[in-house]
């Protein structure tokens, strides 16, 4: 059998993570990341299927230089002998707006549209588009595919995606809820349905994607019904450095009192708020667990509270819930956060299994007779990106 090779890329402003898959067996044959791109103390890592890992500490001046390092290492370690072995390269894009309803092959026109949509997700779309541009320049003959987080949320109806502001602002400027973390949920929801032994098109779930960025999504009959993030990934629950829901009048007052302009104030909500802002210690839950500081403990409690609020609201809307699902960095690896959330959801019929909850891994963390199940499902965004590449390119 001839195997295809597909590269999945997740770009950030100073980094990109990657996994190279073989298809149809969906095995990871190489993975790694370029970190601190644009800085003198940059790092490039590659891990091979035999478990060996190679790390370079060196200046990486821009995304193109990082892409060159990746291509060089894939050839150097004989992961790829010829670039024609790579069927396509998939890129995670946070916001496709109302232009992109599904994954697309990217040419110059599509790339410019992704750049233009940077207004909706400036922290994400711009570096992600720069990542695509770098790959287009270095490997021009390999198809590039954009895979959008917002595609999963195309099933939201106007009741859930419209803001209660003059309707013409939606019509003229596309101001509405778009959601995020859709690539993750598109993997996690069917996986949870399988664990529940339920039809993935009939299952009702509340998916808690809890990482540095965090969201809660109601999945009704296997489709996105409502989600906590809005026009950007800033709103919803408390996050690592993002405020989550915040009264616009409070923002106005903050600006008047400090003299900040709107861009500076939004930067505070994006970069200096959330767990970091409340605790004054760190945006990382692992640091907050170890801290004895009262504000660090408070930050964890606020995080749990905001997640529980959304789960409760979505439970009321869904009517019937099969499971609450935990995924992403905090959701998969922080027993304390999971325990706090589950303890507040007993009224739904969720009976936590605190012993099972002490350890990580894909499993049930509710008792067998629990009416509503609680499940950990490790996410796999890169696999979903690679699958989309195969679908689009073929």
């Amino acid at each position: 059998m001839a195997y295809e090779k597909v590269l999945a890329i997740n770009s950030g402003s100073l980094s990109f993570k990657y996994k190279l898959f073989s298809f149809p067996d969906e095995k990871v044959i190489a993975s790694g990341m370029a970190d601190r791109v644009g800085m003198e103390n940059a790092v490039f890592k590659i891990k091979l299927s035999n478990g060996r890992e190679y790390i370079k500490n060196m200046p990486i001046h821009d995304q193109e230089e990082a892409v060159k390092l990746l291509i060089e290492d894939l050839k150097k370690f004989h992961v790829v002998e010829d670039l024609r072995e790579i069927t396509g390269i998939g890129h995670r894009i946070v916001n496709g707006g109302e232009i992109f309803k599904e994954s697309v092959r990217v040419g110059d026109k599509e790339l410019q549209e992704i750049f233009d949509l940077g207004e909706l997700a400036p922290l994400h779309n711009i570096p992600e588009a720069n990542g695509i541009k770098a790959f287009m320049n270095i490997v021009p003959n390999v198809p590039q595919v954009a895979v959008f987080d917002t595609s999963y949320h195309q099933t939201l109806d106007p009741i859930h995606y419209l803001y209660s502001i003059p309707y013409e602002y939606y019509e003229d400027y596309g101001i509405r809820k778009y959601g995020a973390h859709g690539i993750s949920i598109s993997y996690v929801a069917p996986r949870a349905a399988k664990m529940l032994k339920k039809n993935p098109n009939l299952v009702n779930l509340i998916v808690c994607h809890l990482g540095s960025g965090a969201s809660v999504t109601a999945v009704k009959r296997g489709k996105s019904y409502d989600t906590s993030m809005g026009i950007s990934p800033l709103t919803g629950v408390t996050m690592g450095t993002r405020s989550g829901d915040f009264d616009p009048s409070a923002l106005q007052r903050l600006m008047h009192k400090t003299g900040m302009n709107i861009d500076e104030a939004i930067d505070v909500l994006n970069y200096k708020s959330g767990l970091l802002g409340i605790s004054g210690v760190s945006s990382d839950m692992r640091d907050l667990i170890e801290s004895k500081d009262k504000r660090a403990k408070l930050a964890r409690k606020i995080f749990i509270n905001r997640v529980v609020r959304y789960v409760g609201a979505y439970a009321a809307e869904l009517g019937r819930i099969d499971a609450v699902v935990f995924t992403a960095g905090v959701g998969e690896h922080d027993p304390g956060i999971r325990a706090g959330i589950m303890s507040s959801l007993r009224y739904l019929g969720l009976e936590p299994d605190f012993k099972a909850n002490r350890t990580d891994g894909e499993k049930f963390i509710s008792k067998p007779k629990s009416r509503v199940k609680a499940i950990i499902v490790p996410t796999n965004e890169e696999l979903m990106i690679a699958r989309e590449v195969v679908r689009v390119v073929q």
Side-chain angles (χ1 to χ4, degrees):
M1 179 186 291
Y3 285 87
E4 301 177 69
K5 293 175 181 175
V6 176
L7 191 58
I9 303 294
N10 192 340
S11 292
S13 56
L14 298 174
S15 67
F16 70 73
K17 295 184 227 176
Y18 66 89
K19 283 185 182 177
L20 183 68
F21 292 87
S22 63
F23 275 80
D25 61 1
E26 297 186 341
K27 288 184 178 177
V28 177
I29 51 179
S31 62
M33 69 183 303
D35 197 17
R36 303 191 192 104
V37 175
M39 302 169 70
E40 291 298 310
N41 61 338
V43 179
F44 186 85
K45 299 179 183 179
I46 184 168
K47 185 176 181 180
L48 307 178
S49 58
N50 61 13
R52 291 182 181 175
E53 187 174 52
Y54 301 89
I55 300 173
K56 295 177 183 176
N57 296 281
M58 58 186 290
I60 303 175
H61 298 102
D62 53 32
Q63 289 272 25
E64 281 199 25
E65 202 168 304
V67 173
K68 286 178 182 176
L69 283 171
L70 171 57
I71 300 301
E72 286 172 9
D73 274 6
L74 291 178
K75 289 181 175 180
K76 176 182 176 181
F77 296 111
H78 304 287
V79 179
V80 172
E81 301 296 343
D82 189 315
L83 292 179
R84 286 175 294 185
E85 295 172 33
I86 301 177
T87 302
I89 301 173
H91 302 262
R92 179 203 178 201
I93 307 295
V94 165
N95 202 317
E98 294 202 316
I99 298 173
F100 299 106
K101 309 293 185 185
E102 59 181 5
S103 306
V104 296
R105 187 164 174 169
V106 180
D108 292 339
K109 174 179 174 290
E110 290 79 12
L111 180 61
Q112 186 56 53
E113 287 171 330
I114 293 168
F115 271 117
D116 293 342
L117 287 167
E119 287 184 338
L120 299 179
L123 303 183
H124 299 84
N125 270 44
I126 301 301
E128 289 157 357
N130 280 323
I132 296 177
K133 185 177 179 181
F135 276 93
M136 288 174 75
N137 289 339
I138 302 300
V139 284
N141 297 321
V142 179
Q144 308 293 323
V145 176
V147 183
F148 300 92
D149 267 317
T150 46
S151 295
Y152 184 78
H153 300 297
Q154 293 299 316
T155 50
L156 296 183
D157 63 24
I159 292 171
H160 294 106
Y161 71 65
L162 284 178
Y163 294 116
S164 301
I165 59 175
Y167 193 80
E168 57 265 27
Y169 295 152
Y170 161 63
E171 292 181 304
D172 295 343
Y173 310 118
I175 296 176
R176 51 158 285 186
K177 175 187 289 190
Y178 291 103
H181 295 144
I183 298 169
S184 172
I185 302 164
S186 69
Y187 174 83
V188 168
R191 186 68 199 158
K194 187 173 182 179
M195 293 172 69
L196 292 162
K197 298 180 180 178
K198 290 186 177 290
N199 185 326
N201 297 316
L202 298 176
V203 74
N204 281 13
L205 305 168
I206 298 177
V207 178
C208 302
H209 179 110
L210 309 179
S212 178
S215 68
V216 180
T217 296
V219 176
K220 186 172 186 177
R221 293 183 172 270
K223 296 179 179 178
S224 179
Y225 184 68
D226 201 0
T227 191
S228 59
M229 285 182 169
I231 191 171
S232 79
L234 176 57
T235 193
V237 303
T238 299
M239 299 173 234
T241 63
R242 294 176 225 164
S243 64
D245 293 336
F246 189 73
D247 187 339
S249 292
L251 182 65
Q252 181 187 44
R253 179 175 174 82
L254 177 66
M255 292 168 64
H256 285 166
K257 291 293 184 181
T258 62
M260 286 189 283
N261 62 37
I262 186 65
D263 291 331
E264 291 167 334
I266 293 296
D267 276 353
V268 169
L269 298 187
N270 267 309
Y271 295 112
K272 299 178 182 179
S273 301
L275 300 175
L276 175 63
I278 297 163
S279 71
V281 173
S282 175
S283 64
D284 193 314
M285 279 291 189
R286 292 167 294 188
D287 297 331
L288 301 187
I289 293 171
E290 295 174 3
S291 175
K292 295 180 180 179
D293 187 272
K294 289 182 180 179
R295 281 171 50 188
K297 296 181 187 301
L298 175 63
R300 284 176 64 85
K301 289 178 181 177
I302 288 175
F303 181 87
I304 290 168
N305 172 266
R306 302 307 191 261
V307 173
V308 169
R309 283 186 187 180
Y310 269 96
V311 173
Y314 292 157
E317 285 201 84
L318 290 174
R320 171 184 63 80
I321 309 168
D322 296 305
V324 176
V325 185
F326 295 95
T327 193
V330 174
E332 293 172 27
H333 302 298
D334 193 321
I337 292 296
R338 293 193 302 258
I341 293 168
M342 289 192 294
S343 295
S344 298
L345 301 177
R346 293 177 189 269
Y347 75 97
L348 295 175
L350 194 160
E351 298 179 41
D353 182 339
F354 293 117
K355 184 177 180 180
N357 182 56
R358 289 176 196 159
T359 55
D360 304 336
E362 184 177 271
K363 61 179 174 178
F364 288 91
I365 51 173
S366 53
K367 293 182 178 177
K369 292 184 179 179
S370 180
R371 191 171 78 248
V372 173
K373 307 297 184 186
I375 312 175
I376 303 171
V377 181
T379 192
N380 196 338
E381 291 169 295
E382 289 84 6
L383 177 59
M384 298 309 293
I385 293 168
R387 286 176 178 173
E388 281 295 280
V389 172
V390 172
R391 184 185 68 81
V392 169
V393 172
Q394 288 182 343

